[in-house]
Amino acid sequence: MDYAHLTDLFERQFGRQCRLFFSPGRINLIGEHTDYNDGFVFPGAVDKGIALAIAPNGTRTVNVLSADLEGMPACSFSLDDSRRPDQRWACYVFGTCMEIAVRGFECHGFDAVFTGDVPLGAGMSSSAAIDCVFAFALNELFCGSRIDRFELARIGQATENNWCGLNCGIMDQFASVFGKKGQLMRLDCRSLEYEYFPFSPKGYSLVLVDSRVKHMLGGEYNERRQSCENAVAAIAERHPQVKALRDATHDMLDEVRNAISETDYQRALYILDEKDRVLEVCDSLEKGDYENVGRCMYRTHWGMSRQFGASCPETDFLVETASACGVSGSRIMGGGFGGCTINLVKDSIMDDFKREVTRAYRERFTIEPKFYSVTIGDGSHEIIL
Ligand code: GLA
């Protein structure tokens, strides 16, 4: 990322100096859609994200420019007007300001320019990187760093929930804020207890394959969440201690099979299976059994595809091709409906795998897939040049 260029842009646009901040996107090894079911997830921050040049402007107005949307005028809004701006990306900025203010912290006017190298709509959570870089920077600029990292992640999640129409869980914002170089994190999304897990498997690498089917998470994602809540409501009638699918067993779900729709049943079943898989992966990681980690990844994929209904023909094809190439693990990553697959690949077959996927995907869909090798990076921080 060219930070000097970003600073130059800011200074040319606003005629004064700025501070620089960065928040990353994330990968997730396993535990998909478990976060809003109070389960476990296994994310890590990546070395790609959003960089922000920012300075207070002494007014009640916010002026933000996206350096990547060329020719796009700056978006301006007043902190005293609760109408959301029109551009979707600006809602993330606006929502973050509102969520900080609602919690009783100060938020004043500022000027900002941001840029990113995390691909949009690829399942790497570019939007969490935007929420989190603004929340982190505003905390430094106006709140004397008094908002702790947990609350910063919650502010990011609330921004998506309340201002951007996505009823997401906490995983992406947590990963963006708490990320640590070389470490994955096992997060309990109910208690927010977490543990860092060093991840550098000998002889294997993680690579993302971008299907280039862009997803814009919204209605379909929210419907999946609603299905989970429907299943919980039915189970709780008989088992009042069940507050989320985390508390439910396969037997409990089977008891209510006739009381809920088959779609809700299948989606809830995927979540219960995925809960077990996350624990199995933790166990396998401790034993260094990466082949079993990989097998769990494939099972997650087909659960996401057939039970949860959150894959698409392109990502299914990428996973089938990975399997045919002898890749240890492969699955759709993130919210779903397109974006990237995450692949656990033996270094010895990496080049052949990439060559074969490129050939096969091009032939089947006339799309050139993109590859991103995964480097686990740090969470939100200030950049001092
Ligand atoms: C999106 C959401 C997360 C999580 C994942 C699926 O990335 O933002 O909260 O639910 O999908 O695991």
Side-chain angles (χ1 to χ4, degrees), residues 10 30 36 44 107 121 127 131 134 149 151 164 187 200 220 234 240 247 268 273 282 301 318:
F10 182 96
I30 198 125
Y36 55 79
C107 184
S127 65
D131 312 327
F134 277 92
R149 285 190 183 241
E151 201 55 30
C164 307
L187 170 68
S200 48
E220 288 185 304
D247 309 313
D273 292 347
C282 292
H301 180 79
L318 288 175

Side-chain angles (χ1 to χ4, degrees), residues 26 28 31-36 41 123 125 166 168-173 217 221 334-336:
R26 60 106 191 87
N28 185 27
E32 223 60 274
H33 289 267
T34 42
D35 59 352
Y36 55 79
V41 290
S125 215
L166 186 69
C168 63
I170 190 100
M171 169 171 74
D172 303 355
Q173 291 76 16
L217 289 184
Y221 177 98

Side-chain angles (χ1 to χ4, degrees), residues 27 29 182-184 197-201 205-206 285 290 293 344 376:
I27 53 138
L29 186 65
Q183 315 262 344
L184 295 180
F197 260 76
F199 188 78
S200 48
S205 300
L206 285 176
L285 282 178
Y290 293 102
V293 171
L344 181 64
I376 315 266

